Amino acid sequence: MATENGEVNMANGGSFTLTAPPRPGALPRIQTTAAVNRSSSKAGDVCHDDSVPPVKAQTIDELHSLQKKRSAPTTPKQDASAQSPTTFSTISEDERLRLQLQSISASLASLTRETGPNVVKGDPKRKPETPKAQQQHHYFTPTISTSDSALKLTHVLYNLSPAELYEQAIKYEHGSFITSSGALATLSGAKTGRSPKDKRVVKDEDTAEELWWGKGSPNIEMDEHTFLVNRERAVDYLNSLDKVFVNDQFLNWDKENRIKVRIVSARAYHSLFMHNMCIRPTPDELENFGTPDFTIYNAGQFPCNRYTHYMTSSTSIDINLARREMVILGTQYAGEMKKGLFSVMHYLMPKRGILTLHSGCNMGKDCDVALFFGLSGTGKTTLSTDHNRLLIGDDEHCWSDNGVSNIEGGCYAKCVDLSHEKEPDIFNAIKFGTVLENVVFDEHTREVDYVDRSVTENTRASYPIEYIPNAKIPCIGPHPKNVILLACDAFGVLPPVSKLSMAQTMYHFISGYTALVAGTEDGIKEPQATFSACFGAAFIMLHPIKYAAMLAEKMNKYGAVGWLVNTGWCGGRYGVGSRIKLPYTRKIINAIHSGSLLNADYTKTDVFGLNIPTTVDGVPAEILNPKNAWENKKIYEETLWKLAGLFKQNFEVFLKYKIGSDSKLMQEILAAGPDV
Ligand SMILES: Nc1ncnc2c1ncn2[C@@H]1O[C@H](COP(=O)(O)OP(=O)(O)O)[C@@H](O)[C@H]1O
Ligand SMILES: C=C(OP(=O)(O)O)C(=O)O
Ligand SMILES: [Ca+2]
Ligand SMILES: [Mn+2]
């Protein structure tokens, strides 16, 4: 296993840049994280994948106006004076809420997780006969009174159904609407993507030894005290509200290694998102839920205090492994919760010899399982959702001695440019119960315009996995046969498919390359190369070499074959060539699944030394070798060498680590990279 040396740990020392103190009387506007990051931190300090530029709107109303498109003129204009006041059947709704709500404030304010809320049935203030439909709900009641904030009654809406959450969202959350297909469209506010540079982890005696710190690591350190400051801020905020949402759910379909999670949040949208993304307990399982293994306090609407030590912006996502808690301040992007829990799994599971994978996963009729690794936007969700195969999951998995299991209960698809024609299964999953984040729709017909990027490029749909018709439930499968590494290469020099040796698989897994264009509107012509170890450096907790060693061991043991698939550009870089057509990538993936590609004829490419097939059924042969696909061979060569150089530079940091007892394996892995 890798030996972590002191050097790496120390490298983190100077990487915290506090925003410059404001001059008296000239308080600066609170900047969004992305803006702060751009001005204050050097690229490469921490993992830098998929942070999304801030939205253009300055106020909620402006944001909201981006979301709705003017209807066609046929829409009858309503006379404002003739409009009835918002009569949303208030009486029954209020009565319904009153029945459901209970105080949780004392337990929220408690610093001791163990004295969490008691679950009782029904409202203790009410006389016995609770209507039958409501008896199934569970309600919290405070058991202790520890702080002033306990005097404020905060009601808990516990594991509400999607229908109830829709009503809550539409009634109380600005920018929430039902779309024509029945999905709940909503806005995530200023943050429309994750904020990896605001993800902090408490460094204590244990985690200082165990976790990966320093250059390249996603774990920005914070101390226990600062965590408690942020925690108190989040909890006080939640307590100041009239109501909070609580979800009790599971992670990991492998029942032996299942984790119980509790998510406390302030928005119905967040509760519905987690309802979709985590595994939904049966009524019996909920009855016996007990103490959660991990709790999220999501106070995303409320900022952290920028003058708190360690804070570099108004956003902070804080993980405390010892307390088994996560606190979210200053971002409402829902993906922060699911990916935060994924990080936690990246810590807990390897301790049990289970490898966590940032990959999609599906299974053929012959029970052949394929993994799809890749950074955001490379095609994990799209390619694992395959009408001819069973979907095990689109994003987060475990590989144990028993095989693979999905960590989640739902999928989170990018929906920019989505169409029924291109991706029917995902398109059809966008119905009642699905959360649609930051999409633009017609004001009147409520038809979503997936092409519109007014709010963000990173529009998303979150739906329960059973909304995909051929989902494999329970979401588990045997050991993988194929391990497919996806890279969206905007340089256009990686072949559409290559068969990898074990050493090459490790080289590319550790490198975790993709190159995307950083937002079309910014006019950025140069592709941005990103290297994110294990195709998920933003979520790993231990040193990447530890996961890589586990992957090598499992692939060897179960005879899995590695493949590199470029889902990006072909025939030239971004701006010159074009993105490889999805139907072609699907044909390539089919050939991998069927085994036909194993027996194809191969040639070796220069520089990267990749084995590429000369033919693939249904794919034009001239695109299989990028050199043939490029018109200008000279620019092709230059671009190829440039990318190879970037790979080499990125890999240098890993050379001092060992896999196994000596450095032999690491040398072999290095030799499997490009010759530069
Ligand atoms: N050849 C291709 N292969 C895979 N995806 C493609 C391809 N061409 C375009 N796309 C688009 O790229 C995006 C991939 O996103 P997604 O599957 O959500 O990625 P991930 O799950 O890895 O974040 C989708 O919008 C998909 O339609
Ligand atoms: C949810 C995310 O993952 P992905 O893009 O890999 O689907 C994310 O990066 O916020
Ligand atoms: Ca990265
Ligand atoms: Mn995805």
Side-chain angles (χ1 to χ4, degrees):
M1 289 303 252
T3 43
E4 239 114 27
N5 61 25
E7 239 178 283
V8 175
N9 288 344
M10 307 261 291
N12 214 17
S15 66
F16 302 110
T17 40
L18 289 165
T19 42
R23 275 165 287 121
L27 267 178
R29 255 184 69 84
I30 292 182
Q31 282 181 297
T32 59
T33 328
V36 170
N37 285 339
R38 232 169 274 141
S39 59
S40 70
S41 62
K42 296 169 268 128
D45 270 357
V46 287
C47 61
H48 53 275
D49 59 316
D50 49 30
S51 38
V52 169
V55 292
K56 280 159 282 185
Q58 297 293 314
T59 65
I60 286 287
D61 284 326
E62 267 177 52
L63 183 61
H64 185 201
S65 70
L66 289 176
Q67 179 193 27
K68 279 210 233 167
K69 282 224 290 214
R70 270 288 138 82
S71 287
T74 48
T75 312
K77 270 252 153 64
Q78 267 208 320
D79 177 2
S81 62
Q83 266 173 358
S84 57
T86 42
T87 47
F88 238 124
S89 64
T90 19
I91 304 152
S92 61
E93 175 71 358
D94 282 352
E95 175 67 4
R96 202 180 62 82
L97 283 180
R98 203 185 66 75
L99 291 173
Q100 284 185 350
L101 305 182
Q102 266 297 311
S103 169
I104 194 184
S105 54
S107 38
L108 272 177
S110 157
L111 280 180
T112 326
R113 197 179 54 84
E114 299 307 325
T115 58
N118 266 6
V119 179
V120 296
K121 273 190 176 176
D123 183 342
K125 276 184 286 181
R126 260 177 58 87
K127 298 289 168 281
E129 72 301 323
T130 311
K132 208 164 191 330
Q134 282 163 13
Q135 273 178 12
Q136 291 163 7
H137 287 290
H138 302 259
Y139 306 98
F140 290 136
T141 191
T143 50
I144 38 159
S145 181
T146 50
S147 91
D148 277 358
S149 55
L151 296 174
K152 168 82 177 56
L153 272 190
T154 300
H155 300 293
V156 97
L157 280 75
Y158 184 68
N159 276 25
L160 294 195
S161 66
E164 292 170 303
L165 291 168
Y166 263 59
E167 288 164 3
Q168 288 286 324
I170 287 158
K171 200 166 171 195
Y172 302 109
E173 289 170 20
H174 206 37
S176 297
F177 297 89
I178 301 181
T179 69
S180 59
S181 73
L184 180 73
T186 189
L187 293 169
S188 69
K191 296 291 169 64
T192 56
R194 278 180 300 101
S195 310
K197 287 169 185 161
D198 290 304
K199 194 184 128 197
R200 298 181 173 79
V201 179
V202 173
K203 192 173 191 175
D204 57 25
E205 265 174 31
D206 293 332
T207 57
E209 292 296 308
E210 282 180 301
L211 303 192
W212 178 30
W213 304 99
K215 195 169 188 296
S217 156
N219 306 315
I220 303 172
E221 71 172 82
M222 82 189 305
D223 60 22
E224 171 83 9
H225 176 80
T226 311
F227 177 84
L228 289 177
V229 171
N230 280 359
R231 183 194 189 278
E232 185 94 332
R233 198 168 164 96
V235 166
D236 283 347
Y237 168 74
L238 292 166
N239 263 329
S240 75
L241 304 173
D242 292 335
K243 63 186 182 218
V244 295
F245 298 88
V246 174
N247 291 39
D248 277 349
Q249 296 184 257
F250 300 114
L251 293 179
N252 199 356
W253 284 86
D254 167 8
K255 283 206 171 170
E256 277 174 43
N257 296 294
R258 188 161 90 167
I259 301 295
K260 295 186 281 181
V261 289
R262 172 168 294 167
I263 301 100
V264 184
S265 61
R267 289 190 63 180
Y269 141 49
H270 288 152
S271 185
L272 182 57
F273 176 86
M274 291 311 264
H275 171 90
N276 290 346
M277 296 313 297
C278 298
I279 299 168
R280 294 159 287 284
T282 62
D284 266 1
E285 286 170 330
L286 196 56
E287 188 71 42
N288 303 309
F289 195 79
T291 310
D293 299 309
F294 202 89
T295 301
I296 300 181
Y297 296 98
N298 183 352
Q301 295 95 311
F302 201 64
C304 63
N305 184 331
R306 290 174 300 145
Y307 301 103
T308 304
H309 187 39
Y310 291 108
M311 296 304 110
T312 50
S313 76
S314 54
T315 301
S316 200
I317 300 108
D318 308 331
I319 294 179
N320 188 329
L321 292 170
R323 295 183 61 91
R324 299 159 172 235
E325 288 180 336
M326 174 160 65
V327 166
I328 300 178
L329 288 164
T331 172
Q332 297 173 54
Y333 178 64
E336 219 64 85
M337 293 183 284
K338 84 163 212 126
K339 285 280 157 87
L341 290 173
F342 190 35
S343 302
V344 173
M345 293 297 277
H346 267 96
Y347 172 75
L348 295 176
M349 293 297 120
K351 279 178 177 294
R352 307 179 184 191
I354 298 169
L355 176 61
T356 33
L357 320 160
H358 184 216
S359 76
C361 180
N362 66 16
M363 187 172 89
K365 289 179 189 75
D366 302 332
C367 294
D368 59 301
V369 166
L371 298 176
F372 300 83
F373 283 99
L375 292 176
S376 186
T378 56
K380 296 183 298 300
T381 301
T382 308
L383 298 171
S384 57
T385 309
D386 180 335
H387 210 70
N388 300 312
R389 293 170 65 86
L390 299 174
L391 177 66
I392 292 178
D394 80 320
D395 197 51
E396 306 178 2
H397 292 84
C398 287
W399 188 350
S400 75
D401 288 339
N402 302 323
V404 289
S405 60
N406 188 354
I407 290 175
E408 303 181 288
C411 304
Y412 194 31
K414 273 185 185 291
C415 38
V416 66
D417 296 332
L418 180 67
S419 69
H420 184 271
E421 188 207 346
K422 278 192 283 186
E423 285 150 81
D425 285 344
I426 295 176
F427 191 92
N428 291 334
I430 301 178
K431 57 185 182 184
F432 178 80
T434 296
V435 178
L436 268 178
E437 253 179 342
N438 301 319
V439 296
V440 174
F441 51 82
D442 182 283
E443 202 173 31
H444 172 58
T445 64
R446 302 293 173 83
E447 270 188 60
V448 178
D449 180 355
Y450 290 108
V451 175
D452 197 314
R453 294 149 160 85
S454 299
V455 180
T456 177
E457 176 104 18
N458 188 31
T459 53
R460 293 273 181 165
S462 149
Y463 45 85
I465 191 157
E466 61 269 20
Y467 282 18
I468 297 297
N470 48 355
K472 160 83 179 61
I473 294 174
C475 304
I476 52 175
H479 296 290
K481 184 173 145 196
N482 289 300
V483 171
I484 301 168
L485 310 180
L486 303 172
C488 178
D489 176 27
F491 288 99
V493 294
L494 288 185
V497 59
S498 351
K499 189 172 79 173
L500 304 175
S501 67
M502 186 55 77
Q504 283 177 320
T505 307
M506 287 305 117
Y507 181 84
H508 287 279
F509 181 72
I510 293 167
S511 298
Y513 164 75
T514 201
L516 298 167
V517 279
T520 32
E521 317 95 53
D522 298 59
I524 293 172
K525 288 279 180 292
E526 176 80 349
Q528 305 279 309
T530 301
F531 293 93
S532 178
C534 311
F535 291 101
F539 324 116
I540 62 182
M541 284 273 174
L542 314 177
H543 193 278
I545 295 298
K546 293 185 180 164
Y547 302 98
M550 283 179 87
L551 181 66
E553 190 217 301
K554 289 191 195 289
M555 284 183 67
N556 271 325
K557 189 164 167 188
Y558 302 107
V561 179
W563 305 87
L564 181 65
V565 170
N566 174 12
T567 61
W569 270 254
C570 160
R573 65 160 59 179
Y574 169 81
V576 180
S578 54
R579 192 155 180 194
I580 295 164
K581 289 188 174 54
L582 184 53
Y584 292 158
T585 302
R586 288 212 189 270
K587 293 273 190 228
I588 287 168
I589 301 286
N590 288 346
I592 293 174
H593 292 320
S594 75
S596 69
L597 214 49
L598 265 185
N599 308 316
D601 290 331
Y602 282 89
T603 56
K604 215 179 188 82
T605 68
D606 297 337
V607 187
F608 277 86
L610 294 165
N611 286 306
I612 56 172
T614 49
T615 54
V616 177
D617 223 17
V619 182
E622 59 273 20
I623 74 165
L624 293 174
N625 187 341
K627 190 173 184 169
N628 299 338
W630 280 59
E631 221 166 273
N632 190 328
K633 311 289 180 211
K634 188 168 164 278
I635 301 179
Y636 165 77
E637 292 287 338
E638 282 167 17
T639 313
L640 181 66
W641 282 99
K642 181 179 175 179
L643 182 62
L646 294 172
F647 264 84
K648 184 161 189 258
Q649 195 188 331
N650 171 70
F651 207 82
E652 262 155 27
V653 64
F654 298 109
L655 296 180
K656 57 175 175 266
Y657 296 98
K658 289 181 198 162
I659 294 185
S661 51
D662 55 33
S663 52
K664 200 171 138 259
L665 196 48
M666 198 41 122
Q667 288 307 316
E668 251 176 66
I669 291 172
L670 176 68
D675 295 319
V676 267

PDB file of all heavy atoms in Angstrom, residues 57 62 70 80 106 157 162 166 185 276 331 364 429 432 469 474 538 546 574 675:
ATOM      1  N   ALA A  57     -27.547  35.946 -12.651  1.00  0.00           N
ATOM      2  CA  ALA A  57     -28.503  36.775 -11.913  1.00  0.00           C
ATOM      3  C   ALA A  57     -27.909  37.282 -10.603  1.00  0.00           C
ATOM      4  O   ALA A  57     -27.088  36.620  -9.983  1.00  0.00           O
ATOM      5  CB  ALA A  57     -29.743  35.954 -11.635  1.00  0.00           C
ATOM      6  N   GLU A  62     -34.329  37.998 -10.434  1.00  0.00           N
ATOM      7  CA  GLU A  62     -33.660  37.924 -11.726  1.00  0.00           C
ATOM      8  C   GLU A  62     -33.438  36.474 -12.132  1.00  0.00           C
ATOM      9  O   GLU A  62     -33.639  36.092 -13.275  1.00  0.00           O
ATOM     10  CB  GLU A  62     -32.294  38.606 -11.641  1.00  0.00           C
ATOM     11  CG  GLU A  62     -32.318  40.065 -12.042  1.00  0.00           C
ATOM     12  CD  GLU A  62     -30.948  40.694 -11.861  1.00  0.00           C
ATOM     13  OE1 GLU A  62     -29.957  40.122 -12.376  1.00  0.00           O
ATOM     14  OE2 GLU A  62     -30.878  41.709 -11.177  1.00  0.00           O
ATOM     15  N   ARG A  70     -41.219  33.453 -21.897  1.00  0.00           N
ATOM     16  CA  ARG A  70     -42.504  34.017 -22.272  1.00  0.00           C
ATOM     17  C   ARG A  70     -43.297  33.032 -23.118  1.00  0.00           C
ATOM     18  O   ARG A  70     -42.774  32.398 -24.013  1.00  0.00           O
ATOM     19  CB  ARG A  70     -42.282  35.316 -23.061  1.00  0.00           C
ATOM     20  CG  ARG A  70     -42.223  36.520 -22.169  1.00  0.00           C
ATOM     21  CD  ARG A  70     -43.622  36.808 -21.630  1.00  0.00           C
ATOM     22  NE  ARG A  70     -43.627  37.163 -20.218  1.00  0.00           N
ATOM     23  CZ  ARG A  70     -43.373  38.367 -19.749  1.00  0.00           C
ATOM     24  NH1 ARG A  70     -43.079  39.343 -20.570  1.00  0.00           N
ATOM     25  NH2 ARG A  70     -43.415  38.598 -18.469  1.00  0.00           N
ATOM     26  N   ALA A  80     -54.944  41.753 -13.763  1.00  0.00           N
ATOM     27  CA  ALA A  80     -54.421  41.593 -12.398  1.00  0.00           C
ATOM     28  C   ALA A  80     -55.506  41.772 -11.344  1.00  0.00           C
ATOM     29  O   ALA A  80     -55.571  41.027 -10.364  1.00  0.00           O
ATOM     30  CB  ALA A  80     -53.297  42.584 -12.162  1.00  0.00           C
ATOM     31  N   ALA A 106     -35.245  21.222  20.069  1.00  0.00           N
ATOM     32  CA  ALA A 106     -34.320  20.848  21.131  1.00  0.00           C
ATOM     33  C   ALA A 106     -33.316  19.826  20.643  1.00  0.00           C
ATOM     34  O   ALA A 106     -32.122  19.923  20.922  1.00  0.00           O
ATOM     35  CB  ALA A 106     -35.087  20.295  22.317  1.00  0.00           C
ATOM     36  N   LEU A 157     -40.931  17.902   9.240  1.00  0.00           N
ATOM     37  CA  LEU A 157     -41.707  17.194   8.220  1.00  0.00           C
ATOM     38  C   LEU A 157     -40.874  15.973   7.846  1.00  0.00           C
ATOM     39  O   LEU A 157     -39.858  16.096   7.158  1.00  0.00           O
ATOM     40  CB  LEU A 157     -41.990  18.110   7.022  1.00  0.00           C
ATOM     41  CG  LEU A 157     -43.150  19.078   7.272  1.00  0.00           C
ATOM     42  CD1 LEU A 157     -42.749  20.215   8.194  1.00  0.00           C
ATOM     43  CD2 LEU A 157     -43.670  19.638   5.972  1.00  0.00           C
ATOM     44  N   PRO A 162     -43.510  12.226  -2.060  1.00  0.00           N
ATOM     45  CA  PRO A 162     -43.291  13.193  -3.148  1.00  0.00           C
ATOM     46  C   PRO A 162     -44.464  14.158  -3.316  1.00  0.00           C
ATOM     47  O   PRO A 162     -44.245  15.354  -3.520  1.00  0.00           O
ATOM     48  CB  PRO A 162     -43.104  12.300  -4.370  1.00  0.00           C
ATOM     49  CG  PRO A 162     -42.505  11.047  -3.812  1.00  0.00           C
ATOM     50  CD  PRO A 162     -43.167  10.848  -2.474  1.00  0.00           C
ATOM     51  N   TYR A 166     -44.084  18.110  -3.140  1.00  0.00           N
ATOM     52  CA  TYR A 166     -44.487  18.994  -4.244  1.00  0.00           C
ATOM     53  C   TYR A 166     -45.294  20.167  -3.679  1.00  0.00           C
ATOM     54  O   TYR A 166     -45.069  21.318  -4.025  1.00  0.00           O
ATOM     55  CB  TYR A 166     -45.381  18.234  -5.234  1.00  0.00           C
ATOM     56  CG  TYR A 166     -44.677  17.665  -6.441  1.00  0.00           C
ATOM     57  CD1 TYR A 166     -43.638  16.759  -6.297  1.00  0.00           C
ATOM     58  CD2 TYR A 166     -45.084  18.007  -7.736  1.00  0.00           C
ATOM     59  CE1 TYR A 166     -43.020  16.217  -7.413  1.00  0.00           C
ATOM     60  CE2 TYR A 166     -44.470  17.473  -8.848  1.00  0.00           C
ATOM     61  CZ  TYR A 166     -43.436  16.570  -8.687  1.00  0.00           C
ATOM     62  OH  TYR A 166     -42.828  16.044  -9.797  1.00  0.00           O
ATOM     63  N   ALA A 185     -39.961  21.434 -11.258  1.00  0.00           N
ATOM     64  CA  ALA A 185     -38.843  22.281 -11.681  1.00  0.00           C
ATOM     65  C   ALA A 185     -38.540  23.251 -10.557  1.00  0.00           C
ATOM     66  O   ALA A 185     -39.445  23.839  -9.972  1.00  0.00           O
ATOM     67  CB  ALA A 185     -39.211  23.034 -12.952  1.00  0.00           C
ATOM     68  N   ASN A 276     -35.271  10.812  -3.675  1.00  0.00           N
ATOM     69  CA  ASN A 276     -34.964  10.148  -4.945  1.00  0.00           C
ATOM     70  C   ASN A 276     -33.585   9.504  -4.949  1.00  0.00           C
ATOM     71  O   ASN A 276     -33.404   8.414  -5.481  1.00  0.00           O
ATOM     72  CB  ASN A 276     -35.034  11.154  -6.105  1.00  0.00           C
ATOM     73  CG  ASN A 276     -36.460  11.600  -6.397  1.00  0.00           C
ATOM     74  OD1 ASN A 276     -37.414  10.986  -5.925  1.00  0.00           O
ATOM     75  ND2 ASN A 276     -36.598  12.674  -7.152  1.00  0.00           N
ATOM     76  N   THR A 331     -24.626  27.014   0.050  1.00  0.00           N
ATOM     77  CA  THR A 331     -24.928  26.487  -1.283  1.00  0.00           C
ATOM     78  C   THR A 331     -26.171  25.603  -1.214  1.00  0.00           C
ATOM     79  O   THR A 331     -26.308  24.777  -0.315  1.00  0.00           O
ATOM     80  CB  THR A 331     -23.776  25.671  -1.902  1.00  0.00           C
ATOM     81  OG1 THR A 331     -24.272  25.048  -3.116  1.00  0.00           O
ATOM     82  CG2 THR A 331     -23.231  24.597  -0.979  1.00  0.00           C
ATOM     83  N   GLY A 364     -25.731  -7.092 -18.545  1.00  0.00           N
ATOM     84  CA  GLY A 364     -26.393  -7.686 -19.706  1.00  0.00           C
ATOM     85  C   GLY A 364     -27.218  -8.904 -19.312  1.00  0.00           C
ATOM     86  O   GLY A 364     -27.239  -9.306 -18.147  1.00  0.00           O
ATOM     87  N   ALA A 429     -38.106   9.371 -17.907  1.00  0.00           N
ATOM     88  CA  ALA A 429     -38.024   9.332 -16.438  1.00  0.00           C
ATOM     89  C   ALA A 429     -38.376  10.694 -15.830  1.00  0.00           C
ATOM     90  O   ALA A 429     -38.556  10.810 -14.618  1.00  0.00           O
ATOM     91  CB  ALA A 429     -36.623   8.907 -16.010  1.00  0.00           C
ATOM     92  N   PHE A 432     -43.752  12.802 -12.856  1.00  0.00           N
ATOM     93  CA  PHE A 432     -44.088  13.142 -11.472  1.00  0.00           C
ATOM     94  C   PHE A 432     -43.085  12.496 -10.498  1.00  0.00           C
ATOM     95  O   PHE A 432     -42.826  11.292 -10.581  1.00  0.00           O
ATOM     96  CB  PHE A 432     -45.511  12.683 -11.122  1.00  0.00           C
ATOM     97  CG  PHE A 432     -45.838  12.980  -9.689  1.00  0.00           C
ATOM     98  CD1 PHE A 432     -46.214  14.258  -9.300  1.00  0.00           C
ATOM     99  CD2 PHE A 432     -45.689  11.996  -8.710  1.00  0.00           C
ATOM    100  CE1 PHE A 432     -46.452  14.556  -7.971  1.00  0.00           C
ATOM    101  CE2 PHE A 432     -45.931  12.288  -7.373  1.00  0.00           C
ATOM    102  CZ  PHE A 432     -46.311  13.565  -7.003  1.00  0.00           C
ATOM    103  N   PRO A 469     -37.021   1.943 -16.963  1.00  0.00           N
ATOM    104  CA  PRO A 469     -37.818   0.707 -17.057  1.00  0.00           C
ATOM    105  C   PRO A 469     -37.025  -0.566 -16.767  1.00  0.00           C
ATOM    106  O   PRO A 469     -37.540  -1.489 -16.156  1.00  0.00           O
ATOM    107  CB  PRO A 469     -38.347   0.716 -18.488  1.00  0.00           C
ATOM    108  CG  PRO A 469     -37.852   1.946 -19.150  1.00  0.00           C
ATOM    109  CD  PRO A 469     -37.099   2.773 -18.166  1.00  0.00           C
ATOM    110  N   PRO A 474     -33.156  -5.593  -6.542  1.00  0.00           N
ATOM    111  CA  PRO A 474     -32.199  -4.709  -5.892  1.00  0.00           C
ATOM    112  C   PRO A 474     -30.983  -4.417  -6.795  1.00  0.00           C
ATOM    113  O   PRO A 474     -30.611  -5.253  -7.620  1.00  0.00           O
ATOM    114  CB  PRO A 474     -31.776  -5.486  -4.643  1.00  0.00           C
ATOM    115  CG  PRO A 474     -32.085  -6.918  -4.944  1.00  0.00           C
ATOM    116  CD  PRO A 474     -33.257  -6.905  -5.871  1.00  0.00           C
ATOM    117  N   ALA A 538     -12.425  14.569  -6.324  1.00  0.00           N
ATOM    118  CA  ALA A 538     -13.216  15.453  -5.460  1.00  0.00           C
ATOM    119  C   ALA A 538     -13.909  14.679  -4.340  1.00  0.00           C
ATOM    120  O   ALA A 538     -14.349  15.272  -3.360  1.00  0.00           O
ATOM    121  CB  ALA A 538     -14.243  16.209  -6.297  1.00  0.00           C
ATOM    122  N   LYS A 546      -4.306   4.092  -2.889  1.00  0.00           N
ATOM    123  CA  LYS A 546      -4.976   3.021  -2.134  1.00  0.00           C
ATOM    124  C   LYS A 546      -6.161   2.457  -2.916  1.00  0.00           C
ATOM    125  O   LYS A 546      -6.377   1.250  -2.972  1.00  0.00           O
ATOM    126  CB  LYS A 546      -5.431   3.535  -0.767  1.00  0.00           C
ATOM    127  CG  LYS A 546      -4.240   3.853   0.120  1.00  0.00           C
ATOM    128  CD  LYS A 546      -4.633   4.243   1.513  1.00  0.00           C
ATOM    129  CE  LYS A 546      -3.357   4.535   2.310  1.00  0.00           C
ATOM    130  NZ  LYS A 546      -3.614   5.270   3.539  1.00  0.00           N
ATOM    131  N   TYR A 574     -11.899  20.682 -30.087  1.00  0.00           N
ATOM    132  CA  TYR A 574     -13.123  21.464 -29.933  1.00  0.00           C
ATOM    133  C   TYR A 574     -13.034  22.713 -30.801  1.00  0.00           C
ATOM    134  O   TYR A 574     -12.021  23.407 -30.784  1.00  0.00           O
ATOM    135  CB  TYR A 574     -13.307  21.862 -28.462  1.00  0.00           C
ATOM    136  CG  TYR A 574     -14.406  22.880 -28.252  1.00  0.00           C
ATOM    137  CD1 TYR A 574     -15.735  22.478 -28.210  1.00  0.00           C
ATOM    138  CD2 TYR A 574     -14.111  24.235 -28.137  1.00  0.00           C
ATOM    139  CE1 TYR A 574     -16.747  23.399 -28.050  1.00  0.00           C
ATOM    140  CE2 TYR A 574     -15.114  25.172 -27.979  1.00  0.00           C
ATOM    141  CZ  TYR A 574     -16.434  24.751 -27.934  1.00  0.00           C
ATOM    142  OH  TYR A 574     -17.423  25.661 -27.776  1.00  0.00           O
ATOM    143  N   ASP A 675       4.871   7.970 -24.050  1.00  0.00           N
ATOM    144  CA  ASP A 675       6.329   8.114 -24.141  1.00  0.00           C
ATOM    145  C   ASP A 675       6.649   9.563 -24.451  1.00  0.00           C
ATOM    146  O   ASP A 675       6.499   9.993 -25.581  1.00  0.00           O
ATOM    147  CB  ASP A 675       6.876   7.272 -25.315  1.00  0.00           C
ATOM    148  CG  ASP A 675       6.671   5.796 -25.071  1.00  0.00           C
ATOM    149  OD1 ASP A 675       6.867   5.362 -23.924  1.00  0.00           O
ATOM    150  OD2 ASP A 675       6.297   5.090 -26.037  1.00  0.00           O
TER     151      ASP A 675
END
